[in-house]
């Protein structure tokens, strides 16, 4: 029981640490001239991942083990902090430096799906069920980010057309 409590304390502290750090990183590093575009990208990642996570959890494909509060039992730790901030910073970097967004997204998604999910499983924060594997999380991550990228580029194009008229 004591080991379980220590693991839970580590999980809660890690969650608070990641949330606080992610907010700080986003606040101090985001390009202020494109803040609406970049935060739209991060917010869309957050919303799509949260709904996907809730659907996977309700279908019993994955189950988080510990919650920060019983009032917010769903995926508000990783989907609200690390994933959106990581991808919005990647989007900003790739668009500012003319880098291949798709290639960098594949690399970051692999780190999140195979690295971060493995860490969560090792800490006992996450369990995968029903044949769901980390590779599936990787594919889901790619789909969400590519949909978000398309929506953001469409928004930028509409905004540019609006300013041109």
């Amino acid at each position: 029981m004591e080991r379980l409590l220590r693991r839970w304390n580590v999980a809660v502290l890690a969650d608070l640490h990641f949330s606080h750090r992610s907010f700080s990183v986003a606040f101090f590093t985001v390009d202020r001239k494109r803040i609406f575009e970049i935060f739209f990208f991060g917010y869309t990642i957050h919303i799509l991942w949260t709904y996907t996570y809730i659907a996977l959890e309700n279908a019993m494909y994955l189950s988080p083990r510990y919650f920060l509060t019983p009032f917010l039992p769903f995926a508000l730790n990783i989907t609200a902090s690390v994933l959106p901030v990581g991808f919005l910073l990647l989007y900003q970097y790739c668009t500012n430096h003319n880098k291949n967004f798709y290639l960098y997204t594949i690399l970051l998604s692999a780190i999140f799906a195979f690295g971060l999910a493995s860490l969560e499983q090792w800490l006992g924060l996450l369990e995968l069920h029903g044949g769901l594997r980390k590779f599936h999380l990787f594919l889901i991550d790619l789909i969400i980010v590519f949909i978000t990228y398309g929506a953001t580029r469409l928004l930028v194009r509409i905004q540019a057309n609006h300013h041109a008229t």
Side-chain angles (χ1 to χ4, degrees):
M1 182 68 174
E2 184 178 321
R3 183 175 176 214
L4 182 66
L5 286 175
R6 268 189 275 135
R7 206 176 237 192
W8 185 82
N9 286 335
V10 168
V12 170
L13 289 176
D15 185 36
L16 290 173
H17 179 75
F18 279 133
S19 298
H20 178 267
R21 293 287 179 200
S22 296
F23 174 75
S24 299
V25 167
F27 183 76
F28 290 112
T29 59
V30 73
D31 184 1
R32 305 251 190 250
K33 294 175 188 168
R34 299 173 46 213
I35 197 164
F36 176 72
E37 170 192 347
I38 293 168
F39 280 166
F40 174 81
F41 185 85
Y43 178 74
T44 306
I45 295 263
H46 158 64
I47 293 299
L48 291 177
W49 246 122
T50 299
Y51 283 133
T52 302
Y53 195 99
I54 290 170
L56 289 171
E57 189 175 349
N58 286 339
M60 308 279 278
Y61 283 112
L62 54 84
S63 58
R65 302 280 296 159
Y66 304 104
F67 306 111
L68 186 58
T69 172
F71 302 112
L72 302 171
F74 297 113
L76 292 179
N77 48 4
I78 296 298
T79 63
S81 59
V82 176
L83 293 174
V85 171
F87 282 114
L88 75 82
L89 292 175
L90 177 73
Y91 173 77
Q92 175 180 290
Y93 173 78
C94 289
T95 54
N96 283 347
H97 296 94
N98 294 323
K99 300 291 183 182
N100 186 342
F101 178 76
Y102 297 104
L103 177 65
Y104 281 85
T105 297
I106 291 169
L107 293 173
L108 187 58
S109 292
I111 291 169
F112 284 152
F114 300 116
L116 194 58
S118 296
L119 179 64
E120 285 184 323
Q121 281 185 314
W122 181 76
L123 288 173
L125 302 176
L126 179 69
E127 290 182 5
L128 303 177
H129 306 288
L132 185 70
R133 303 283 180 248
K134 292 174 202 152
F135 182 72
H136 297 120
L137 294 177
F138 172 70
L139 293 177
I140 293 168
D141 206 12
L142 289 178
I143 291 167
I144 288 173
V145 174
F146 293 155
I147 289 171
T148 302
Y149 182 73
T152 305
R153 299 315 297 168
L154 178 66
L155 178 79
V156 168
R157 193 173 302 135
I158 290 170
Q159 187 178 20
N161 288 340
H162 178 71
H163 288 331
T165 58

